[in-house]
Coordinates of all heavy atoms in Angstrom, one line a residue:
T20 N -4.5 48.0 -5.6 CA -5.3 46.8 -5.6 C -6.1 46.7 -6.9 O -6.2 45.7 -7.6 CB -6.3 46.7 -4.4 OG1 -5.5 46.7 -3.2 CG2 -7.1 45.5 -4.5
L21 N -6.7 47.9 -7.3 CA -7.5 47.9 -8.6 C -6.6 47.6 -9.8 O -6.9 46.9 -10.7 CB -8.2 49.3 -8.7 CG -9.3 49.6 -7.7 CD1 -9.8 51.0 -7.9 CD2 -10.4 48.6 -7.9
F22 N -5.3 48.2 -9.7 CA -4.4 47.9 -10.8 C -4.0 46.4 -10.9 O -4.0 45.9 -12.0 CB -3.1 48.7 -10.5 CG -2.0 48.4 -11.5 CD1 -2.0 49.0 -12.8 CD2 -0.9 47.6 -11.1 CE1 -1.0 48.7 -13.7 CE2 0.1 47.3 -12.0 CZ 0.1 47.9 -13.3
V23 N -3.8 45.8 -9.8 CA -3.5 44.4 -9.8 C -4.7 43.5 -10.3 O -4.5 42.5 -11.0 CB -2.9 43.9 -8.4 CG1 -2.8 42.4 -8.4 CG2 -1.5 44.5 -8.2
L24 N -5.9 43.9 -9.8 CA -7.0 43.2 -10.2 C -7.2 43.2 -11.8 O -7.5 42.2 -12.4 CB -8.3 43.8 -9.6 CG -8.5 43.5 -8.1 CD1 -9.7 44.3 -7.6 CD2 -8.6 42.0 -7.8
W25 N -6.9 44.4 -12.3 CA -7.1 44.6 -13.8 C -6.0 43.9 -14.6 O -6.3 43.2 -15.6 CB -7.1 46.1 -14.1 CG -7.3 46.3 -15.6 CD1 -6.3 46.7 -16.5 CD2 -8.5 46.3 -16.3 NE1 -6.8 46.9 -17.7 CE2 -8.2 46.6 -17.7 CE3 -9.8 46.0 -16.0 CZ2 -9.1 46.7 -18.7 CZ3 -10.8 46.1 -17.0 CH2 -10.4 46.4 -18.3
T26 N -4.8 43.9 -14.1 CA -3.6 43.4 -14.9 C -3.3 42.0 -14.6 O -2.7 41.3 -15.5 CB -2.4 44.3 -14.6 OG1 -2.0 44.2 -13.2 CG2 -2.6 45.7 -15.0
T27 N -3.6 41.5 -13.4 CA -3.2 40.1 -13.1 C -4.4 39.2 -12.8 O -4.4 38.1 -13.3 CB -2.3 40.2 -11.8 OG1 -1.2 41.1 -12.1 CG2 -1.7 38.8 -11.5
V28 N -5.3 39.7 -12.0 CA -6.4 38.8 -11.6 C -7.4 38.5 -12.7 O -7.8 37.4 -13.0 CB -7.1 39.3 -10.3 CG1 -8.3 38.5 -10.0 CG2 -6.1 39.4 -9.2
L29 N -7.8 39.6 -13.4 CA -8.8 39.5 -14.5 C -8.3 38.5 -15.6 O -9.1 37.6 -16.0 CB -9.1 40.8 -15.1 CG -10.2 40.9 -16.1 CD1 -11.5 40.3 -15.6 CD2 -10.4 42.3 -16.7
P30 N -7.0 38.6 -16.0 CA -6.6 37.6 -17.1 C -6.7 36.2 -16.6 O -6.8 35.2 -17.3 CB -5.2 38.0 -17.3 CG -5.1 39.5 -17.0 CD -6.0 39.6 -15.8
M31 N -6.5 36.0 -15.2 CA -6.6 34.6 -14.7 C -8.1 34.2 -14.6 O -8.4 33.0 -15.0 CB -6.0 34.6 -13.3 CG -6.0 33.2 -12.6 SD -4.9 32.1 -13.5 CE -3.3 32.9 -13.3
V32 N -9.0 35.0 -14.3 CA -10.4 34.7 -14.1 C -11.0 34.4 -15.5 O -11.8 33.5 -15.6 CB -11.1 35.8 -13.4 CG1 -12.6 35.5 -13.4 CG2 -10.6 35.9 -12.0
D33 N -10.6 35.2 -16.5 CA -11.3 35.0 -17.8 C -10.7 33.9 -18.7 O -11.1 33.7 -19.8 CB -11.3 36.3 -18.6 CG -9.9 36.8 -19.0 OD1 -8.9 36.0 -18.9 OD2 -9.7 37.9 -19.5
G34 N -9.8 33.2 -18.1 CA -9.3 32.0 -18.8 C -8.0 32.1 -19.5 O -7.4 31.1 -19.9
R35 N -7.4 33.3 -19.6 CA -6.2 33.5 -20.3 C -5.0 32.8 -19.6 O -4.0 32.4 -20.2 CB -5.9 35.0 -20.5 CG -6.6 35.6 -21.7 CD -6.4 37.1 -21.8 NE -7.2 37.8 -20.8 CZ -7.1 39.1 -20.6 NH1 -6.2 39.8 -21.3 NH2 -7.9 39.7 -19.8
G36 N -5.1 32.8 -18.2 CA -4.0 32.1 -17.5 C -4.2 30.7 -17.0 O -3.4 30.1 -16.3
W37 N -5.3 30.1 -17.5 CA -5.7 28.8 -17.1 C -4.7 27.7 -17.5 O -4.4 26.8 -16.7 CB -7.1 28.4 -17.5 CG -8.1 29.2 -16.8 CD1 -8.0 30.2 -16.0 CD2 -9.5 29.0 -16.9 NE1 -9.2 30.7 -15.5 CE2 -10.2 29.9 -16.0 CE3 -10.3 28.0 -17.6 CZ2 -11.6 30.0 -15.9 CZ3 -11.7 28.1 -17.4 CH2 -12.3 29.1 -16.6
L48 N -8.5 29.3 -8.3 CA -9.7 30.2 -8.5 C -10.4 30.4 -7.2 O -10.9 31.6 -6.9 CB -10.6 29.6 -9.5 CG -10.1 29.5 -11.0 CD1 -11.1 28.8 -11.9 CD2 -9.8 30.9 -11.5
I51 N -8.3 33.0 -5.4 CA -8.5 34.3 -6.0 C -9.8 34.9 -5.5 O -9.9 36.1 -5.1 CB -8.5 34.2 -7.5 CG1 -7.1 33.9 -8.0 CG2 -9.0 35.5 -8.1 CD1 -7.0 33.6 -9.5
A52 N -10.9 34.1 -5.5 CA -12.2 34.6 -5.0 C -12.1 35.1 -3.5 O -12.6 36.1 -3.1 CB -13.3 33.6 -5.1
V55 N -9.9 38.3 -3.3 CA -10.6 39.5 -3.7 C -11.7 40.0 -2.7 O -11.8 41.1 -2.4 CB -11.3 39.3 -5.1 CG1 -12.3 40.4 -5.4 CG2 -10.3 39.1 -6.2
R157 N 1.7 40.0 -6.0 CA 1.3 39.9 -7.4 C 2.2 40.9 -8.2 O 2.6 40.6 -9.3 CB -0.2 40.2 -7.6 CG -1.1 39.2 -6.9 CD -0.7 37.8 -7.1 NE -0.7 37.4 -8.6 CZ -0.3 36.3 -9.0 NH1 0.1 35.3 -8.2 NH2 -0.3 36.0 -10.3

Side-chain angles (χ1 to χ4, degrees):
T20 299
L21 292 174
F22 172 78
V23 168
L24 288 175
W25 180 260
T26 60
T27 305
V28 176
L29 185 60
M31 184 64 64
V32 172
D33 68 8
R35 281 175 279 174
W37 289 10
L48 293 178
I51 290 173
V55 171
R157 298 310 304 174

